[in-house]
Amino acid sequence: VKIYVKMECLNPGGTGKDRAARSMILCAEEKGELPPPYKASMIANKADSEITNISDAPNTAVKDHSNIPDDIHAAIVTALKNTKTHGILIEGTSGSTGISLASLACTRGHGIIVAMPDDQSNQKKEFLEKLGCGVVVVKNCSISNPGHYVNVARRIWEWLNVERRYDEYYWESVMKPAGDEILNGHNNSSPPRLIRAAFMNQFENLANVTSHYTSTGPEIYSQLDGKVDAFIMSAGTGGTLVGVGAYLKERFFENLQQKHRMLSQSPPRIILVDPPGSSLFNK
């Protein structure tokens, strides 16, 4: 029996989450949920600001953000001050995905806010902050609780992108002091709609699965010359397991069809390893 290990710890961010993070960011940029990366967005954002002036598109922003908790406000301000594109990534994560997202956000010029549970190490929080991330730490609780880190991240996205509570703050406290050239093209007393925030939502984002279907799966298949009897791993969101599993099984049945032979070899087994009491096993 030969057992091979896929060393995802050698990715730049130290985990396989780099793949999903890259895929989710690129997908959000392609859909227009995030602006293009910094260099490409310099011209696009200027044109964007002219289109979204109040005279063209009324800004119905909720201007009062006084009821937003201080720690969340501080995280939002950090992201607004760090973005070079007017784009903000938002995610709820126990740490690894946040680190991958923050690393890539830095290179693409976007700001980032991460909500994480309080049972994670201080090192993760400090690392995220060193990457310029606005971090919100919440009590670990059930996903059904509004205070769960994923639900908090979604609520931050709603404040920024739906209710637009920070349009005026961003305009008055970040853009004007920086003397951005966009100021020259805006004469209305109300702030333009510059902020574009995207909730990564890794647990329900198909770009997570796609990243492994198009990269991790093909790599494993190629590196093992297509001879894969089983793929075994633990799971968080399940994106790696589903993406890799789908690719390996698809290639197996494609090869059978091409060779016009009977099914004498079993398809690769896809095995999830989880601890006793696993919610995934008991569903």
Side-chain angles (χ1 to χ4, degrees), residues 3-283:
I3 299 173
Y4 298 90
V5 179
K6 183 69 169 163
M7 298 296 290
E8 292 294 88
C9 60
L10 298 179
N11 287 331
T15 73
K17 297 295 186 180
D18 283 5
R19 299 176 187 264
R22 179 180 180 274
S23 181
M24 290 189 293
I25 291 174
L26 290 177
C27 183
E29 290 175 349
E30 288 169 5
K31 289 180 178 179
E33 295 170 358
L34 284 173
Y38 179 51
K39 290 182 180 178
S41 69
M42 293 174 71
I43 297 174
N45 279 335
K46 183 176 180 182
D48 229 20
S49 69
E50 294 168 357
I51 293 170
T52 55
N53 280 352
I54 300 307
S55 58
D56 301 318
N59 192 339
T60 57
V62 178
K63 296 182 180 180
D64 182 19
H65 50 73
S66 60
N67 62 337
I68 294 177
D70 290 344
D71 59 336
I72 295 179
H73 173 72
I76 292 173
V77 169
T78 295
L80 292 176
K81 288 183 176 179
N82 286 338
T83 181
K84 295 181 175 67
T85 64
H86 313 310
I88 306 289
L89 282 72
I90 303 166
E91 182 61 327
T93 168
S94 58
S96 298
T97 302
I99 290 170
S100 294
L101 286 169
S103 300
L104 288 163
C106 284
T107 65
R108 303 184 78 77
H110 305 312
I112 178 169
I113 302 166
V114 163
M116 62 186 297
D118 61 2
D119 61 352
Q120 298 301 301
S121 67
N122 285 331
Q123 286 87 347
K124 279 187 178 180
K125 178 177 180 290
E126 291 170 1
F127 192 26
L128 285 166
E129 290 173 339
K130 289 182 185 299
L131 289 170
C133 184
V135 182
V136 180
V137 178
V138 300
K139 187 175 180 180
N140 194 17
C141 56
S142 167
I143 186 65
S144 61
N145 189 316
H148 186 274
Y149 59 92
V150 173
N151 297 329
V152 171
R154 183 181 287 105
R155 193 153 65 248
I156 293 171
W157 171 78
E158 289 172 351
W159 286 335
L160 283 170
N161 216 57
V162 181
E163 299 177 17
R164 308 205 64 86
R165 295 193 178 205
Y166 279 83
D167 281 1
E168 183 172 6
Y169 178 92
Y170 186 54
W171 182 248
E172 297 292 338
S173 302
V174 179
M175 299 300 294
K176 282 187 176 180
D180 195 286
E181 62 181 26
I182 286 177
L183 297 171
N184 299 325
H186 183 76
N187 300 316
N188 200 299
S189 58
S190 298
R193 295 167 61 103
L194 294 175
I195 299 170
R196 270 195 262 175
F199 178 36
M200 295 290 97
N201 198 15
Q202 59 176 317
F203 287 91
E204 298 179 18
N205 194 329
L206 286 177
N208 179 3
V209 175
T210 301
S211 66
H212 298 289
Y213 179 82
T214 58
S215 67
T216 323
E219 284 177 20
I220 291 172
Y221 187 86
S222 173
Q223 289 163 348
L224 297 178
D225 296 322
K227 299 173 183 176
V228 183
D229 298 310
F231 176 69
I232 306 170
M233 66 170 293
S234 58
T237 64
T240 308
L241 190 77
V242 173
V244 172
Y247 181 84
L248 294 178
K249 287 203 169 189
E250 186 176 292
R251 286 304 305 268
F252 175 83
F253 288 109
E254 279 180 357
N255 288 340
L256 281 179
Q257 193 174 32
Q258 289 170 3
K259 293 177 182 178
H260 303 289
R261 65 184 186 186
M262 297 297 291
L263 184 59
S264 57
Q265 179 186 350
S266 298
R269 296 182 64 195
I270 310 302
I271 302 170
L272 166 63
V273 179
D274 234 18
S278 162
S279 60
L280 293 172
F281 180 81
N282 289 296
K283 279 191 176 180

